[in-house]
Structure formats: C-alpha cells, structure tokens
Amino acid sequence: MVLHVIGLGLGDEKDVTIKGLEKIKAADFVYLEIYTAVLGVKKETLEAYYGQPIIEADRTLVESGCEEMLQRAKEHRVAFLVVGDPFCATTHSDLMLRAKEMDVRVDVVHNASIMNAVGICGLQMYRFGETVSIPFFEDSWRPESFYDKMVANQRMGLHTLCLLDIKVKEQTLQNMLRGNQIFEAPRFMTVNQAVDEILEVHEKRQELAQPVRGFGLARLGSDSQMIAAGTFEELRTFDFGGPLHSLVLCCPDTSLHELEMQFFDFFRTHHSLAG
Amino acid sequence: MVLHVIGLGLGDEKDVTIKGLEKIKAADFVYLEIYTAVLGVKKETLEAYYGQPIIEADRTLVESGCEEMLQRAKEHRVAFLVVGDPFCATTHSDLMLRAKEMDVRVDVVHNASIMNAVGICGLQMYRFGETVSIPFFEDSWRPESFYDKMVANQRMGLHTLCLLDIKVKEQTLQNMLRGNQIFEAPRFMTVNQAVDEILEVHEKRQELAQPVRGFGLARLGSDSQMIAAGTFEELRTFDFGGPLHSLVLCCPDTSLHELEMQFFDFFRTHHSLAG
C-alpha cells in the first residue's frame, strides 16, 4: 500500500511534524532506523507518545534490504522512521528506489537534519562546501581524504560541516566469525576526538589556513544543546557533554563575513542562544 | 521574555513540528515572515489551524529591524514564523544577534528546508558544493557570478543547488520615489526561466561539463510536488506548474555515483515517488 519515510528531526519525540505524527499513528507497522543516528530519547518514549509499538531496524536489517518491511508495505501502511531528514543517509535513498521497483508507493515526510540545522552557529548556509565524515582512526587505518576535502573547501572560501563517526551494534571480528550475536557498546565521536584526528593530519600536511577555527555543536535541537566557537586548539579540550556532536571548520579568516564573525565571537563566550 | 524563531517546513500548516505548534499556541504575538519564501497555504489557513491571529512581517518590517517585535519579546512570548528552517536567510541570523544584544532569550525550532529536502532527488546530500542564487536578469543587469560557482562546484565533482529568485511586495522606482504604497504582483522564477538564464551565460562561456544535466523541483514537501530530471535543454521546456521551483545542476557525468544515476533515470520518466 504505502511506505511512509518519516524524518523525526533532531531532538526528541516532539520534533516530528504534525503530518508525520498523523501518519505514524495511522500506520500498521512502525520501524525505527537506529544505526546511522540516534535521537535524544528512548524507543519506549517514542512508543508511548505515538501509541504504537516500534520495530528497531538495525544495520543488519537495513543493509540486508529491509525485505520484510518492503513486503509488508505492499499490503499495509508502513512507517519507516529516520532521525533527522530521510535523505541524510545513502542507504535510505536505495531503499526508496527498491520500494518503487516493487510498485510500493513511497511518501516522504521531511524534517530538520544536521545538514541545515547547523546554520544555528551563524555561518551562512549557502557558504558550505562538501560535507565530510570523520571516521574513528584505527591502528592501521588513518585515512586523510576528509582533510583533502576540508582544504579544497577552504581554498574556495567555504565552510566544512564534519559529521562525526557513530558505531552502533558493532561486533568484534571474533564474535562475527563465530556468529555470536554479541555487540559492543555504542561509540559516538566527540568534537575533541575529531579535532585530535584532524590536527594529527594537519601537523604533517599544514594545508589548512591559520588559525584553524571552527564551531563545535552538541545535541543540536535538544534543550541541552551546546555550541562553542574557537580555535581547534581551544575546541580540543572543551567539554561538550554527551552525544551527538558535530564540528564545523570555518573558511579562512579573510573570507569570513562580518555577521559570521559576530556569531563566532558570540559563541566563543556564550554557548547557547537561550542563555 | 522570549523570541521563538520557528521553522514551518515546506508544504502546508501541518509541516510544523509538535514543539513548534505548542509554542505558537502559547505565544502572545505571532509574526510570519513573508518575503524570502512562501508556504503553500494562505495566512488565514494558518490562523485557523493555530487559533492565533498572525502579523505579516514583510520586507520593510524585517529590514527595518523588527523593532516592534523585539520590544514586545522583552516582556512577552513572541513567535516569529519562517518558511523552511530559521537559518536559511541571513536576515534572520542578524535578528537573533540583535535580540541577544537586547537580552531577549532566543529559542529556535528547526524544520526541513530546501537545503536538505533537495535530497529527495536522490543526489547525495554530502556531495553538494556552494549553493547559488539565480536572480531575475534585467536589461542592464545580467550578473554571471552564479555561473562561476557552478563551474567551480563541477570541477570539484560536486552538485549545485540553485535557489530561484522571488519578488514579493516589490515597488516600481516611480512608486517608491512618490512614496506610494503600491506593490507589484509577486513573481517567482520558474525552472524554465532559470535554465534560460544559465544557458544564456553558458553559450558565451562554455565552461560547464557536457551534457549539462540536472533536476527541476517544484512545490517540494506538498502533495503536488514534482521532480523531473533531464538535460538543461529538456528542463527548459518542461512544465512544472505553480511556485516554488528549485533547480539542481549535477556534477559532471563521469563523477555521478551509480545510485545517483539510477535516481536520474527514475525521475526522467517518473515525476514523483508516489506515482
């Protein structure tokens, strides 16, 4: 019948839109995607608010193609809930094309995502270049491709939004090989860790404009949201509290607009617009 | 007391979030910004749905600094409603800093905006470069700066979101000089007009990769939304219906991902995910 793909926004159960909430309440099955992002509230809170049981769609379920969900959408109203906006993750685009191949009607309910809510730091939205993802470095895997993109954005006078790594329901190689359904505790990269990794590459390459400046953002869209501006050396040790965190690298100082500079100065000393 | 800056999303009165709606209903004064974007529904529809009278904030009011609104926010709950997300327009960032200078608490309710909802065309969100604005050309004013940015994005293998010009409450020079409060009919640039202007510049400059391809999007977020993919020559004559329209220029064909190409092919023949 229909696959509603519904963005939940960024904060809590009340960040869904009226349109989205109506469709969730009317659905026969409700799935929640839990591995590319997390909301600030528990599944149980959502269930109580929607008056609907929720099926968690983890990495295994989503990457194996959500076959059960799509089959159900042929005959029923299925709601697939996604933190932020439905199109933040490639996986969901793929899902929608597959639904179309099965002749399932796809209905999208948009919402805020980090891609536009980052505007709250005061940098102009239209002056962002390519978005980069910062992965957790491992002993033998320390890729630098994000650094190349940051440098390229700066050379065009653009800001860079850095999405920070999330590891949910990861298995150790050993557990995976043995087929043990044992998962590691979730890990969310902090602004501090992201800055550490970027500066590690920067010490070697020295291609970012001096001073390296940016904004750290935590729990955007929630009541406890926190924003701090500073040099990367300052952000390296700033305590942003719990997840999720994001980071913005500013364009070179010489290209910052006056209003952007005012916001930078504001968030250097204040850490919220509410304060 | 507080200035709530509330994003209404893209479609109609039901695209506001639960959080936003609760704050609108509790507000002492409700302003609606009407000159940088328009919602698909009339002011009266919003008033009926919110149970609140709405004061329209036009260009004159917003650019003259919203003095009355900010003064009221010192003692009252004021809701300032913005189509899309609150941070799409520079003017609103400025307003928030001014509120902080007056010691007014600022509270932001995010929502979808064209900046992230454009993801529905299937191009990867993180592969967009700088956003450009396409202005209505005039006889003696035909700027090409947007073309430079499109070329720069393509050279980095990135897509370009083109925001199309809106003229609301414009005055003729004559009426302005005479102080007549007479306004011209609103004008919204179509995909066809935008493509015409881009191709006019391209004929001279020839710097975009061949073939020039993209997506036209109309009324994103509403039930009548329409998406069409094609070469710019094809989009030049495609009928997208009423406003608002947006346009996306694809990165060069050689850089398109397989999944992106699948979406391009899909929207070349289908004009909605629902169909």
Side-chain angles (χ1 to χ4, degrees), chain B residues 133-138 141 146 162-167 186-198 217-218 240-247:
Chain B
S133 294
I134 314 278
F136 280 116
F137 276 178
E138 290 164 26
W141 189 73
F146 62 81
C162 308
L163 303 178
L164 310 189
D165 208 354
I166 292 176
K167 297 280 188 200
R187 290 195 296 156
F188 305 97
M189 187 182 288
T190 63
V191 169
N192 315 131
Q193 290 170 314
V195 167
D196 270 348
E197 294 194 358
I198 295 166
L217 307 107
F240 286 92
L244 296 177
H245 293 187
S246 309
L247 176 67

Side-chain angles (χ1 to χ4, degrees), chain A:
Chain A
M1 192 136 82
V2 61
L3 176 68
H4 298 292
V5 189
I6 301 175
L8 297 185
L10 293 166
D12 58 34
E13 72 278 15
K14 291 189 173 181
D15 284 310
V16 70
T17 66
I18 308 290
K19 210 174 264 178
L21 183 62
E22 287 178 354
K23 288 170 180 175
I24 296 170
K25 283 182 177 292
D28 301 307
F29 299 97
V30 180
Y31 290 81
L32 171 66
E33 191 270 302
I34 56 160
Y35 87 95
T36 60
V38 289
L39 213 58
V41 291
K42 296 208 168 103
K43 174 189 152 188
E44 291 70 26
T45 311
L46 295 179
E47 288 181 323
Y49 191 73
Y50 302 149
Q52 287 268 40
I54 288 176
I55 305 158
E56 286 191 332
D58 60 19
R59 184 175 188 140
T60 317
L61 190 143
V62 176
E63 292 194 340
S64 70
C66 298
E67 197 55 35
E68 173 202 78
M69 183 173 85
L70 290 176
Q71 287 298 338
R72 283 177 165 168
K74 282 177 142 180
E75 308 283 333
H76 299 91
R77 293 176 199 278
V78 172
F80 182 59
L81 313 185
V82 177
V83 175
D85 185 74
F87 288 92
C88 293
T90 314
T91 322
H92 310 145
S93 310
D94 180 46
L95 182 71
M96 285 179 248
L97 272 193
R98 293 192 46 239
K100 294 311 298 174
E101 280 165 18
M102 292 168 66
D103 251 338
V104 169
R105 188 164 77 84
V106 176
D107 167 57
V108 175
V109 180
H110 289 288
N111 209 320
S113 69
I114 180 70
M115 293 280 192
N116 65 350
V118 65
I120 197 167
C121 72
L123 297 177
Q124 294 309 306
M125 286 306 303
Y126 61 89
R127 300 186 69 215
F128 277 77
E130 184 170 6
T131 300
V132 306
S133 294
I134 315 278
F136 280 115
F137 276 179
E138 290 164 27
D139 290 347
S140 57
W141 190 71
R142 306 174 98 72
E144 299 184 3
S145 51
F146 62 81
Y147 189 84
D148 300 327
K149 291 176 182 172
M150 294 166 97
V151 170
N153 284 339
Q154 275 205 338
R155 288 190 178 149
M156 292 178 68
L158 302 177
H159 312 300
T160 307
L161 169 62
C162 308
L163 303 178
L164 310 190
D165 208 354
I166 293 177
K167 296 281 188 200
V168 178
K169 276 208 152 182
E170 292 286 307
Q171 281 180 297
T172 61
L173 185 60
Q174 204 164 48
N175 280 325
M176 203 184 298
L177 291 175
R178 289 183 184 164
N180 294 338
Q181 293 296 299
I182 298 169
F183 302 98
E184 303 304 295
R187 290 195 296 156
F188 305 97
M189 187 183 287
T190 63
V191 168
N192 313 130
Q193 291 170 315
V195 166
D196 270 348
E197 294 194 357
I198 296 166
L199 290 180
E200 178 185 316
V201 180
H202 182 63
E203 293 204 350
K204 213 167 35 178
R205 306 259 308 257
Q206 296 291 333
E207 292 170 50
L208 293 175
Q210 290 295 339
V212 184
R213 307 224 260 190
F215 292 77
L217 307 107
R219 299 172 304 285
L220 217 60
S222 80
D223 289 340
S224 70
Q225 97 180 2
M226 185 178 275
I227 301 169
T231 64
F232 269 33
E233 282 304 336
E234 287 163 351
L235 296 178
R236 190 173 211 163
T237 53
F238 189 92
D239 182 6
F240 286 92
L244 295 176
H245 293 188
S246 308
L247 176 67
V248 176
L249 168 73
C250 293
C251 68
D253 271 17
T254 46
S255 321
L256 271 178
H257 293 181
E258 191 188 326
L259 185 61
E260 293 179 317
M261 201 63 223
Q262 286 173 22
F263 267 94
F264 185 87
D265 291 338
F266 179 84
F267 282 120
R268 201 160 196 172
T269 47
H270 303 68
H271 303 307
S272 156
L273 281 171

Side-chain angles (χ1 to χ4, degrees), chain B:
Chain B
M1 195 136 81
V2 61
L3 176 67
H4 297 293
V5 189
I6 301 176
L8 297 186
L10 293 166
D12 59 33
E13 72 278 14
K14 291 191 173 181
D15 284 310
V16 70
T17 65
I18 308 291
K19 210 175 263 177
L21 183 61
E22 286 178 355
K23 288 170 180 174
I24 296 170
K25 283 181 177 291
D28 301 307
F29 299 97
V30 181
Y31 290 81
L32 172 66
E33 190 270 304
I34 56 159
Y35 88 94
T36 59
V38 290
L39 213 58
V41 291
K42 295 209 169 105
K43 175 189 152 189
E44 290 71 26
T45 311
L46 294 180
E47 288 181 322
Y49 192 72
Y50 303 149
Q52 287 269 41
I54 289 176
I55 306 158
E56 286 191 332
D58 61 19
R59 184 175 188 139
T60 318
L61 190 143
V62 176
E63 291 194 342
S64 70
C66 299
E67 197 55 34
E68 173 202 79
M69 184 173 85
L70 290 176
Q71 287 297 337
R72 282 177 164 168
K74 281 177 143 179
E75 308 281 332
H76 301 91
R77 293 175 199 280
V78 172
F80 181 59
L81 313 185
V82 177
V83 174
D85 184 75
F87 287 92
C88 293
T90 313
T91 321
H92 309 145
S93 310
D94 181 46
L95 181 71
M96 285 179 249
L97 273 193
R98 293 192 45 240
K100 294 310 301 174
E101 279 165 18
M102 293 168 66
D103 251 338
V104 168
R105 188 163 77 86
V106 175
D107 167 56
V108 175
V109 180
H110 289 288
N111 210 319
S113 69
I114 180 68
M115 294 280 192
N116 66 348
V118 66
I120 197 167
C121 73
L123 297 177
Q124 295 308 306
M125 286 305 304
Y126 60 89
R127 299 187 69 217
F128 277 78
E130 185 171 6
T131 300
V132 306
S133 294
I134 314 278
F136 280 116
F137 276 178
E138 290 164 26
D139 290 345
S140 58
W141 189 73
R142 305 174 96 73
E144 301 184 1
S145 51
F146 62 81
Y147 190 84
D148 300 327
K149 291 176 182 173
M150 293 166 97
V151 170
N153 284 339
Q154 275 206 337
R155 289 193 177 147
M156 290 178 68
L158 302 177
H159 312 302
T160 307
L161 169 63
C162 308
L163 303 178
L164 310 189
D165 208 354
I166 292 176
K167 297 280 188 200
V168 178
K169 276 207 152 183
E170 293 286 307
Q171 281 182 296
T172 61
L173 186 60
Q174 204 164 48
N175 280 325
M176 205 185 295
L177 291 174
R178 289 185 184 162
N180 293 338
Q181 292 295 300
I182 298 169
F183 302 98
E184 303 304 295
R187 290 195 296 156
F188 305 97
M189 187 182 288
T190 63
V191 169
N192 315 131
Q193 290 170 314
V195 167
D196 270 348
E197 294 194 358
I198 295 166
L199 290 181
E200 178 185 315
V201 180
H202 181 64
E203 293 203 351
K204 213 167 36 179
R205 307 260 307 257
Q206 295 290 333
E207 292 170 50
L208 293 175
Q210 289 296 339
V212 185
R213 306 223 260 190
F215 292 77
L217 307 107
R219 299 172 305 287
L220 218 60
S222 80
D223 288 340
S224 70
Q225 97 179 3
M226 186 179 274
I227 302 169
T231 64
F232 269 32
E233 281 304 334
E234 288 163 351
L235 296 178
R236 191 173 210 164
T237 53
F238 189 92
D239 182 6
F240 286 92
L244 296 177
H245 293 187
S246 309
L247 176 67
V248 175
L249 169 73
C250 293
C251 68
D253 272 17
T254 46
S255 321
L256 271 178
H257 293 181
E258 192 188 325
L259 184 61
E260 293 180 317
M261 202 61 222
Q262 286 172 23
F263 267 94
F264 184 88
D265 291 338
F266 179 83
F267 282 121
R268 202 161 195 171
T269 47
H270 302 68
H271 302 308
S272 155
L273 282 171

